[in-house]
Amino acid sequence: MKAVILVGGEGTRLRPLTCNRPKPMIPVVNRPFLDHVLDYLKRHNIYDVILSMCYKPDVIEGYFGDGSHLGMNITYVVEKSPLGTAGGVKNVERYLDGPCFVFNGDILTDLDLNAMLQVHQERGATVSIALTPVEDPTAYGLVETDGTGRVLGFIEKPGWDRVTTNLINAGTYIIEKEVLRHVPADSYYMFEHGLFPSLVQRGDPVFGYPSSAYWIDIGTPEKYINVQRDLLVGKVAKAMPVGCLQEGVWLGDGCDISPMAKLTPPVVLGARVTVEANVSITGPVTIGDDCHIGPESVIEDAIIWQHTTIGAGVKMKRCVIARGCTVRDNAWITNNAIVADECEIGSGNRLEHGIKIWPNKVIEPNAITF
Ligand code: GDD
Ligand code: MG
């Protein structure tokens, strides 16, 4: 079976991390998020993947190429303007030769695709929609089903007063190719409030496939930090890097760690990371290639991308620092603060409370204090 991955969205809610890259290229445990998704597909014997793209497609294609180094065959199809989720799949119809999997490109899951396919076939469904229970369904698409799993209706991103179920559309579908007949070509059209409701209204066999398998989307910075944490504590099968120094600490090639530094798992360091004396790193923490951590700095529950330099006495807790940044001595970055690419954070700054620093900004010393 082929898989279509929808990766056309602009990742608005993940800005400023998505200013220079689409959401699937955000690093998770030092690899683009999409790399984890492709691994997951390979584990289910899916090797033929079509990427339905729109926003910054070159970044994705430049990294993954034709997929042969992964043992996969990747086809890229780019929209001139956004066609929506169903329009994005319609736009790749010529590459499909039968039923296919469709994935939202910002989902990480352990869902058993082969079991889902078997149930899809047994039921003779034209569309099967993976469902997952969540605590707060208001940020998602609710899917109402009857006792047999047949879909009765959809409520996309309702207020709490309209919530009727905690089962949401998990962004993984099996669709029979012929349903694409009902999707207008070259037009903006959505599965969620276009194709699926209209199929249900016509009486087509559209089924939900509930599962309690691990599931998360990386739609917001908070969830992005949580995904990383979940991977590091092993909630998702086989997602961790190889090369374990000690239980829960992974070092890339050429790292230089002071014997006076303390690393508390789970911690992942990329290649050529240098860590100076009296640094304390308490996982979950991921640090990308070619980063430097200055003496006496304290880092906890943080994500640092490649080529970033952290000065002395810096405190970081639950934050994201993107690539190529410089954080000067004694700055504090905590509490869901996000610093985008190539920023310089002057000494003594206090960044907190989900503050977002856009790319290429220079924050003068002591300029921001919460
Ligand atoms: N090719 C293409 N073209 N892809 C698109 C487009 C487009 O115009 N618009 C969005 N996408 C891709 C995004 O890149 C993403 O991978 C996926 O479609 C879903 O878009 P999101 O913007 O992430 O949607 P959402 O998170 O608000 O809601 C969707 O996902 C939820 C699960 O996370 C819906 O499918 C909900 O019903 C669902 O519960
Ligand atoms: Mg999403």
Side-chain angles (χ1 to χ4, degrees):
M1 280 254 292
K2 293 186 180 178
V4 180
I5 311 181
L6 292 161
V7 291
E10 292 188 17
T12 328
R13 285 162 292 181
L14 262 176
R15 283 182 193 153
L17 297 173
T18 45
C19 289
N20 294 329
R21 61 190 64 72
K23 206 162 27 171
M25 293 307 289
I26 299 257
V28 172
V29 194
N30 290 342
R31 291 159 60 198
F33 181 74
L34 184 58
D35 211 14
H36 295 277
V37 177
L38 295 177
D39 254 6
Y40 163 74
L41 296 186
K42 275 207 297 192
R43 291 202 295 277
H44 289 85
N45 300 318
I46 297 174
Y47 298 96
D48 225 330
V49 173
I50 302 151
L51 295 185
S52 166
M53 326 165 87
C54 191
Y55 176 69
K56 297 195 184 295
D58 301 350
V59 185
I60 301 181
E61 190 166 358
Y63 185 91
F64 288 101
D66 65 2
S68 53
H69 66 291
L70 299 170
M72 301 183 92
N73 174 30
I74 304 180
T75 304
Y76 300 91
V77 182
V78 183
E79 294 152 28
K80 287 191 196 74
S81 61
L83 293 175
T85 48
V89 177
K90 177 77 176 176
N91 196 41
V92 309
E93 189 176 12
R94 62 190 177 281
Y95 295 104
L96 302 175
D97 38 26
C100 66
F101 284 102
V102 176
F103 299 91
N104 285 354
D106 58 353
I107 300 301
L108 196 65
T109 178
D110 260 347
L111 176 71
D112 182 342
L113 295 175
N114 300 322
M116 180 176 174
L117 178 60
Q118 195 181 338
V119 173
H120 173 85
Q121 288 165 340
E122 283 165 7
R123 286 166 160 169
T126 50
V127 171
S128 293
I129 303 170
L131 308 178
T132 192
V134 292
E135 268 174 30
D136 178 3
T138 59
Y140 301 102
L142 275 58
V143 182
E144 297 175 312
T145 54
D146 70 11
T148 68
R150 196 159 178 144
V151 174
L152 301 173
F154 298 87
I155 315 174
E156 193 67 18
K157 320 239 167 80
W160 269 107
D161 53 328
R162 293 179 58 225
V163 169
T164 52
T165 169
N166 69 338
L167 281 179
I168 59 124
N169 166 12
T172 298
Y173 319 121
I174 299 171
I175 64 166
E176 295 295 318
K177 186 180 174 186
E178 57 266 21
V179 299
L180 295 174
R181 276 188 290 131
H182 305 292
V183 179
D186 302 317
S187 310
Y188 185 88
Y189 199 61
M190 297 294 281
F191 282 127
E192 296 84 343
H193 26 75
L195 181 68
F196 292 163
S198 82
L199 292 177
V200 168
Q201 208 162 24
R202 285 163 36 94
D204 275 21
V206 176
F207 280 89
Y209 182 78
S211 158
S212 54
Y214 177 83
W215 182 90
I216 196 167
D217 73 350
I218 56 158
T220 63
E222 292 74 23
K223 284 196 269 177
Y224 168 56
I225 295 174
N226 291 344
V227 167
Q228 179 114 306
R229 173 187 303 167
D230 286 352
L231 292 195
L232 289 179
V233 300
K235 278 198 193 170
V236 194
K238 301 200 176 93
M240 288 307 296
V242 285
C244 198
L245 171 77
Q246 61 183 68
E247 188 67 21
V249 177
W250 290 264
L251 298 188
D253 292 338
C255 285
D256 184 4
I257 313 296
S258 161
M260 307 280 288
K262 185 167 177 237
L263 273 52
T264 309
V267 172
V268 175
L269 306 186
R272 298 170 300 279
V273 173
T274 51
V275 177
E276 294 204 45
N278 301 321
V279 165
S280 167
I281 300 180
T282 304
V285 166
T286 305
I287 300 179
D289 295 347
D290 300 294
C291 287
H292 175 80
I293 315 294
E296 317 280 341
S297 287
V298 177
I299 300 175
E300 190 179 328
D301 194 9
I303 302 172
I304 303 174
W305 297 3
Q306 319 94 293
H307 298 284
T308 279
T309 298
I310 309 290
V314 170
K315 287 198 181 8
M316 296 173 54
K317 184 167 181 177
R318 200 171 163 87
C319 62
V320 182
I321 314 293
R323 63 169 293 147
C325 293
T326 303
V327 178
R328 303 275 180 212
D329 298 352
N330 303 313
W332 289 15
I333 306 180
T334 60
N335 213 342
N336 292 311
I338 307 287
V339 178
D341 305 294
E342 314 289 340
C343 284
E344 180 177 332
I345 308 299
S347 60
N349 279 297
R350 304 279 184 268
L351 311 185
E352 280 194 62
H353 301 306
I355 187 173
K356 296 181 168 78
I357 309 293
W358 247 240
N360 306 306
K361 288 274 180 304
V362 176
I363 309 292
E364 298 298 331
N366 303 308
I368 299 180
T369 304
F370 277 95

